[in-house]
Amino acid sequence: MDSRLSPFTSLRKLVITAAIIICVSTLSGIATATFSDSQVTIDAQTSTTTLQISSTTAPLTSTPTPVTSSTTTVPPPQTDFTSSFIDTSDENAVRLAWKIVNSRPRHRMNWTGSVGSCRAGSTDDLFKGDVLYRVQWFRAMAGVNPAISLNNESNRLAQEAALVMAAAGDLSHEPDSSWPCYSQDAYDGASQSNLSLGDFGVQSIDGYIEDPGSDNYPVGHRRWILDPTLLNIGTGDTRNSNALFVISSETREDAQIREESGYVMWPPRGYVPRSQIYNRWSVSHQTADFSNAVVAVSQNGRTQVFENPYSDTAGYGRMNSLVFRWPRPSKGSGPITVTISNIEKDRLFTSFEYEVRPFG
């Protein structure tokens, strides 16, 4: 892929040219992102990360009645992941949830808008529900509260933003009046959304979680989707774009996290579909300082140590994060153990270890 850096008034815009473009904005402040051989400063007040990737056409609250035998009681795997975590230590539960999310019928967009007439229109509520359902699956797997909902006003603003991006064939979190189909609502939507061009709907959610491209190492799109404080989202779509409204002043006060130590990882601890393990692994925490962290990854008798992995305090998803690269495991490969040392929490240095078990 080719990449270019384009200055944009008071912010930086990072772009990779290909078929899908994904974009995210951050919270206020200046953040320094440290790589093993370089240092990048991000303007987190309105900084923009944009990516393009190739495109092809292509939710645990209620407890079911246990199954009882003459000797033991075995509860069936939980199948509802829209309001509680998926137990990723239970292979059957993860496999069942993965089967459910993929066997769910996909609904038609039925977009009523038009780029030619600059009409944002709307999409079918069932189509929006498909997008929400995919986001909920990722959150339930990652161990952050999946009980989020679609907000009508956020949907409307996201739809206006998606229209402008499709009309311009480009992305910006600060479009101005020179952009085709511009409106103040489009600006408001774009400034608070992940943005995708070249894909839409459910496919764009997988793209945000993967977050590929040389200018997107912080995986900011993923981190906004996995923000523990996220309460509601909005989605706007055209046949060539998506805007996922993820930054709101309305946040969740009871930000539940499955990991007792408060970490949010992708891929998470436990059983994970191999297709959803991407080559950028992220570990986030609300207060941990990863700037001195060392990562050791072990699989099939091989261990690799990352002495100076990427880390930042940019505020993506309202958490500090560490990111490192590990290739997608091959079919039938063994579990992957990650050990992170020299994490600073509450003025003390600590370590954290977890194991990912790929399947499929």
Side-chain angles (χ1 to χ4, degrees), residues 14 33 47 52 54 57 79 86 123 136 173 217 229 275 283 287 306 357:
L14 307 178
S47 70
Q52 296 181 328
S54 299
T57 307
T79 58
I86 296 171
T123 60
Q136 288 175 312
H173 291 292
Y217 211 89
T229 70
S275 62
V283 180
T287 60
F306 301 87
R357 293 181 168 269

Side-chain angles (χ1 to χ4, degrees), residues 22-100:
I22 300 175
C23 185
V24 70
S25 62
T26 63
L27 295 173
S28 60
I30 300 296
T32 299
T34 305
F35 292 83
S36 58
D37 58 352
S38 64
Q39 191 175 68
V40 177
T41 299
I42 301 171
D43 182 351
Q45 187 170 22
T46 50
S47 70
T48 302
T49 304
T50 305
L51 65 91
Q52 296 181 328
I53 57 177
S54 299
S55 176
T56 56
T57 307
L60 307 181
T61 50
S62 59
T63 303
T65 303
V67 177
T68 306
S69 68
S70 58
T71 58
T72 186
T73 299
V74 180
Q78 295 169 297
T79 58
D80 175 20
F81 51 80
T82 61
S83 55
S84 190
F85 312 134
I86 296 171
D87 181 3
T88 54
S89 69
D90 184 339
E91 182 177 4
N92 289 333
V94 174
R95 285 181 177 272
L96 181 57
W98 182 233
K99 179 179 180 180
I100 289 172

Side-chain angles (χ1 to χ4, degrees), residues 191-212:
S191 64
Q192 299 175 86
S193 296
N194 286 354
L195 302 173
S196 174
L197 185 66
D199 218 338
F200 57 87
V202 169
Q203 294 91 334
S204 64
I205 304 306
D206 286 23
Y208 294 138
I209 295 294
E210 181 179 6
D211 235 358

Side-chain angles (χ1 to χ4, degrees), residues 168-188:
D170 200 359
L171 296 178
S172 173
H173 291 292
E174 293 187 341
D176 58 34
S177 58
S178 69
W179 283 56
C181 304
Y182 172 82
S183 67
Q184 182 61 47
D185 285 342
Y187 179 95
D188 293 343

